[in-house]
Amino acid sequence: MASKSTISRAQRSSVADFIGIKADQLDDMFVCESWSADLATGIVWIGPQTAAFHGVAGQTCGILDIIQPYDPADWHKILLALEEAATVATDISFGTSIRPMAGLYRPVFCFGHSEITATGGAIVGTFATARRCLETTSTMPALLN
C-alpha cells in the first residue's frame, strides 16, 4: 500500500489539479511531502522520501543539492523561479524530472509560496514526486517500478 501524503487535504487537491489527476489518485501515483527553505541561511528542509528520490543524504540540504538530479535543461527556469521567490513574496511552481539513469525519468512537481521579512523570510511548499520511473526510449512510456 502507498504511504500517505504529509500534506493537507486542500494542498492535495491543488497538487492533483496542477498535475491533471483526480485527488483520490494522488497517493497512488505520487509521494507528496512538505518542504521549506530559510532564505537567510539557504537551508532547505525536505521530507525523507523526497530526500531519497533526490539522492540527498539527509533532510536538510541546499537548493543546488535539490536540483542536481533534475533534467539539466530545466535548471535555469527552476533557479529563476527560486530566485524570484527569494526576493519577492510570490507563488512558485515548476515541473521537471529526475533522471536516475539513461532512458528513465521520474516526474517531479514543486509548489510553494514565499514570505519575505526584514531578516530573510521563507519559502514553504510541497514536492510531488512520481512513485514510478517512466521509460523514455519507447514510443509509449512504460511504468517500470
Side-chain angles (χ1 to χ4, degrees), residues 67-128:
I67 71 167
Q68 199 279 325
Y70 293 162
D71 187 333
D74 294 335
W75 289 352
H76 183 72
K77 75 174 182 180
I78 293 167
L79 287 173
L80 284 177
L82 291 167
E83 181 180 334
E84 179 183 4
T87 57
V88 177
T90 189
D91 290 331
I92 180 175
S93 64
F94 62 83
T96 187
S97 60
I98 293 173
R99 302 292 181 160
M101 62 180 58
L104 297 178
Y105 71 99
R106 183 183 303 273
V108 177
F109 298 93
C110 180
F111 313 87
H113 66 276
S114 61
E115 299 170 1
I116 307 301
T117 65
T119 58
I123 303 173
V124 294
T126 303
F127 271 107

Side-chain angles (χ1 to χ4, degrees), residues 41-55:
T41 64
I43 295 175
V44 178
W45 290 270
I46 55 179
Q49 292 180 80
T50 300
F53 285 134
H54 285 78

